[in-house]
Amino acid sequence: MLKRERLDLIMKMVTEQNFIAVSDLAKTMNVSEMTIRRDLDELSKAGKVIRLHGGVQALSLQMKTEQNFHEKREIHIAEKKEIAAIAASLVEDNETIYVGPGTTLEFMIARLDQENLRIVTNSLPVFETARKNPHNYQLILVGGSYRRISGTFYGALANDELDSMNYDKAFVGVNGISDAELLTADIEEGQTQSIGLNNAQKKVVVADMYKFNHRDFYQFYSLYDIDELVTNKQASPDVLEYYRQYTSIRTGIDS
């Protein structure tokens, strides 16, 4: 395969898959990883892709504007539902859990089938999903300033309420994970989620495989301080191996 053909194929694959590992590109094109790295460096210098640890990301993934929660519900639905089921299996009967904002966490709440739970959230969409769950869970919706784009309550009022409670487990989503950084689009929303994590005995991040090696505006927490990261089993083995240096990763209900 000629170099020009390789570059065109790399662009096609990264556009379709959003992020792709060096090892996967090398196997597909039957060339060395060193050759692929040189190709990726060239594409990166030309401003066509974003070079990240272990692979490459489509330039279009660096969103210029944040999507609202209605739009996010329509993206990567199968992947989100897969990890939502895994996250739901981690909840035990009679627990108090904090659940942050995020469409994956809405799917998680819908899957809960424990007999007795107390659910605390600052997300209106998560609360509405919990309210529709057929089990009669105790629900606490934390108030505060309302951020319409994410359907989230945040700020001093929300922070004071969340900080006054303790949780057996906290489940949060992210807009991106880059090295040990957990990233989101809004400073105050991130600070509110941090309080929920800080007050939990077990801290869980629920993030589909497209969130790896993706950056956003504000780092609200460190992956080093997370007990477990729930993601898709289809994630690149290289990516999973890299991020396991920071925390435990779960890709299945029994894993």
Side-chain angles (χ1 to χ4, degrees):
M1 183 181 293
L2 298 176
K3 178 180 177 181
R4 184 71 261 161
E5 294 174 321
R6 286 201 314 272
L7 296 179
D8 288 343
L9 183 55
I10 289 171
M11 289 301 302
K12 180 176 183 294
M13 292 177 68
V14 75
T15 299
E16 292 174 349
Q17 300 183 40
N18 299 325
F19 174 85
I20 189 164
V22 169
S23 58
D24 292 338
L25 288 168
K27 290 175 185 176
T28 299
M29 300 181 198
N30 196 28
V31 296
S32 69
E33 292 189 9
M34 184 63 71
T35 297
I36 293 297
R37 289 191 182 95
R38 287 196 293 265
D39 290 344
L40 297 183
D41 287 341
E42 182 174 329
L43 290 171
S44 178
K45 289 177 182 177
K48 295 183 177 180
V49 298
I50 299 169
R51 279 289 269 125
L52 297 166
H53 177 85
V56 63
Q57 180 175 288
L59 195 63
S60 60
L61 270 188
Q62 301 297 321
M63 301 297 294
K64 301 301 182 185
T65 58
E66 183 184 3
Q67 294 171 300
N68 65 47
F69 64 90
H70 297 293
E71 294 169 325
K72 288 181 178 179
R73 282 196 190 121
E74 306 304 316
I75 301 173
H76 307 312
I77 296 174
E79 291 86 348
K80 290 178 178 179
K81 287 186 174 180
E82 175 187 314
I83 61 175
I86 299 170
S89 74
L90 300 179
V91 181
E92 298 179 23
D93 202 28
N94 298 314
E95 286 190 326
T96 295
I97 61 173
Y98 165 73
V99 183
T103 54
T104 303
L105 296 174
E106 293 174 50
F107 290 132
M108 170 196 154
I109 290 293
R111 290 294 299 263
L112 293 176
D113 60 0
Q114 291 77 4
E115 287 300 319
N116 183 51
L117 292 173
R118 181 189 290 117
I119 301 172
V120 180
T121 185
N122 59 312
S123 165
L124 185 57
V126 166
F127 174 82
E128 288 295 333
T129 303
R131 189 175 61 82
K132 295 172 185 175
N133 188 298
H135 292 79
N136 188 27
Y137 297 141
Q138 181 181 348
L139 306 179
I140 299 175
L141 177 62
V142 172
S145 300
Y146 183 63
R147 190 165 182 263
R148 291 182 180 276
I149 195 168
S150 61
T152 304
F153 293 98
Y154 67 95
L157 291 175
N159 294 349
D160 287 345
E161 286 191 54
L162 286 174
D163 201 27
S164 68
M165 294 178 273
N166 296 306
Y167 318 102
D168 295 295
K169 295 185 177 80
F171 296 85
V172 302
V174 297
N175 284 11
I177 305 174
S178 180
D179 296 322
E181 297 180 2
L182 298 178
L183 301 146
T184 191
D186 184 77
I187 292 175
E188 291 185 294
E189 188 172 314
Q191 291 172 340
T192 300
Q193 287 196 92
S194 294
I195 293 172
L197 287 167
N198 288 340
N199 285 20
Q201 292 184 32
K202 183 172 183 179
K203 304 167 177 59
V204 183
V205 168
V206 185
D208 64 63
M209 61 187 183
Y210 301 105
K211 301 295 175 57
F212 288 114
N213 296 321
H214 177 69
R215 296 196 61 79
D216 211 316
F217 174 61
Y218 179 66
Q219 178 190 351
F220 71 96
Y221 222 74
S222 171
L223 197 52
Y224 279 119
D225 297 322
I226 295 298
D227 295 301
E228 195 158 31
L229 169 62
V230 176
T231 193
N232 304 103
K233 61 180 180 292
Q234 302 92 333
S236 164
D238 289 345
V239 170
L240 293 178
E241 181 182 0
Y242 177 74
Y243 281 98
R244 280 195 172 101
Q245 71 179 300
Y246 300 112
T247 192
S248 172
I249 296 180
R250 180 180 293 267
T251 58
I253 290 178
D254 297 321
S255 64

